[in-house]
Amino acid sequence: MRTVEGTSTRTDTGRAATTGEAGLSPGGGLSPGGGLSEAAGRDTAAQRRRELAAFLRSRRERITPEQVGLARGPRRRTPGLRREEVAALAAVGVTWYTWLEQARDIQVSAQVLDAIARALLLDPHERRHVFGLAHATDPAPGTRCPVVTDAVRAMLDQLEPLAACVQNSRYDILAHNRVYGLMLCDLEAVAPEDRNCMVLSCVNEEWRDSFADGEGSLRVMAAKFRSAMADHLDEPAYRALHARLMRNPQFRAHWERQEIIDSTSRTKHFRNRHVGLLTVVHTDLWLGPSHGPRLVTYTPADAETRRRMERLREMALEREAERAAERSVGGDAEGAEVCAA
């Protein structure tokens, strides 16, 4: 039998071995003194660089100059684009890009990867592969999240009249159903890059006013974000969001309190401008590892709240029908113009 007590490991022989004994690290490999863990880390990083280099070369070679607005020229022999052409399109140095395709050990920022991905016309799956190999977070807003599958979207719809959405650990709202879209503000009227709970608490008056204690809610959000950010301090997306939030005096004041709090299920009270007071139970259901993407649900705590949430759903459906009718009329008018031309 093997049990763990503090930093010591007891084997079935009864002998205790500390993590420093024989060069063992807590991860089970050799410590830097033993050499194996450090070497394994170098091998993994080198393998990632080789895979990234090969993938970028393959995508560069499949793109024709015409696809990116370049003239082919009579003497072109290189299949696809030249390295210097990709470098120019991505606004990076030719030497640096050459080293990247040679799997050299160089620093690669998420912003530069984004520029290269755009230059190479990568689709969302290819972008995700590139950023995964580079061990970086894709900074592009609006990038489709692999967690929000068609099945998850169907589940959000089926939960109505419960309000529900999918959020990540940055509190970005990745997807939502109709009721959630009207519960705190008119979310469809918010730009996709602003659909973040903390950003909305800072800049959207309707969102902020829907909380019984708007200032207290922002304080809680700041504490939650501080707790979540501890594992992501080196990620550009978190740093960019933090910098944006710190420009708000109220958020900055709460951030400087150094408070932390984790997500827990609890009863909340919202003042909805359409139907009045909503008393709901907030529940988080994790769609992956803890502190990753999660399904957030708001269940009516009483019969009156359920009736009011059903009314929100009816309102959302009426709006959908109106927008569909407007699109249909616009499409007919556009078709008539084409025919007249």
Side-chain angles (χ1 to χ4, degrees):
M1 182 178 70
R2 192 168 180 271
T3 61
V4 177
E5 301 176 2
T7 58
S8 298
T9 302
R10 296 192 178 276
T11 65
D12 54 3
T13 62
R15 182 177 61 87
T18 66
T19 56
E21 183 178 1
L24 286 175
S25 69
L30 288 180
S31 67
L36 183 57
S37 291
E38 187 176 351
R42 286 197 301 268
D43 288 346
T44 300
Q47 179 64 23
R48 283 181 176 275
R49 292 196 301 272
R50 288 193 295 270
E51 291 287 341
L52 177 60
F55 187 77
L56 293 178
R57 283 196 303 272
S58 72
R59 293 307 180 266
R60 172 173 61 82
E61 292 171 355
R62 76 176 186 177
I63 297 176
T64 65
E66 293 82 359
Q67 285 179 280
V68 292
L70 299 176
R72 173 173 293 276
R75 304 179 63 179
R76 178 178 292 270
R77 296 179 181 177
T78 304
L81 297 178
R82 299 186 179 99
R83 285 173 176 167
E84 57 266 29
E85 291 170 333
V86 175
L89 290 168
V92 299
V94 176
T95 300
W96 184 90
Y97 183 75
T98 300
W99 286 351
L100 184 62
E101 280 202 6
Q102 291 174 346
R104 301 273 193 101
D105 188 2
I106 58 176
Q107 293 294 321
V108 185
S109 71
Q111 288 75 15
V112 170
L113 278 180
D114 175 56
I116 292 172
R118 293 175 188 276
L120 295 176
L121 307 180
L122 301 186
D123 65 27
H125 298 291
E126 292 168 332
R127 282 185 68 99
R128 192 157 56 247
H129 184 63
V130 163
F131 279 88
L133 289 174
H135 221 267
T137 300
D138 190 342
T143 301
R144 184 176 175 85
C145 176
V147 173
V148 185
T149 62
D150 290 340
V152 170
R153 292 180 186 277
M155 181 168 59
L156 287 172
D157 291 340
Q158 290 298 314
L159 284 171
E160 293 176 353
L162 275 64
C165 68
V166 176
Q167 297 178 14
N168 59 18
S169 57
R170 292 193 304 273
Y171 295 91
D172 295 321
I173 301 169
L174 307 178
H176 63 278
N177 64 11
R178 301 177 187 88
V179 180
Y180 185 87
L182 286 178
M183 185 173 71
L184 300 169
C185 72
D186 184 359
L187 203 53
E188 291 300 318
V190 176
E193 61 269 23
D194 291 338
R195 293 179 188 177
N196 174 280
C197 294
M198 286 170 296
V199 170
L200 289 166
S201 294
C202 292
V203 305
N204 188 289
E205 185 176 352
E206 183 184 355
W207 178 283
R208 188 168 53 247
D209 289 348
S210 69
F211 289 84
D213 180 9
E215 191 64 25
S217 174
L218 185 57
R219 178 178 176 178
V220 169
M221 291 301 303
K224 283 184 175 182
F225 187 51
R226 178 178 286 280
S227 180
M229 193 172 176
D231 294 329
H232 306 277
L233 289 173
D234 60 340
E235 296 183 19
Y238 280 82
R239 292 203 303 269
L241 175 58
H242 178 252
R244 181 181 183 184
L245 293 170
M246 289 295 280
R247 292 196 291 269
N248 180 277
Q250 288 78 22
F251 179 89
R252 185 169 61 251
H254 293 312
W255 181 266
E256 291 171 354
R257 291 173 179 268
Q258 294 285 334
E259 295 175 333
I260 60 170
I261 189 173
D262 207 353
S263 296
T264 56
S265 296
R266 60 194 176 280
T267 300
K268 290 187 174 184
H269 305 279
F270 299 123
R271 292 189 298 256
N272 183 271
R273 66 170 180 162
H274 301 292
V275 297
L277 180 66
L278 299 173
T279 303
V280 295
V281 179
H282 171 150
T283 305
D284 289 325
L285 301 173
W286 304 101
L287 300 177
S290 181
H291 300 293
R294 63 193 180 280
L295 175 68
V296 183
T297 62
Y298 295 88
T299 306
D302 53 53
E304 184 57 34
T305 295
R306 174 171 283 274
R307 283 192 291 270
R308 291 174 178 178
M309 293 177 80
E310 287 172 347
R311 175 58 187 145
L312 283 180
R313 182 173 185 272
E314 292 169 1
M315 291 176 59
L317 288 171
E318 290 168 3
R319 289 189 177 192
E320 280 187 4
E322 290 172 1
R323 285 195 294 266
E326 290 172 1
R327 286 195 298 269
S328 176
V329 171
D332 292 343
E334 195 173 304
E337 290 176 5
V338 170
C339 291

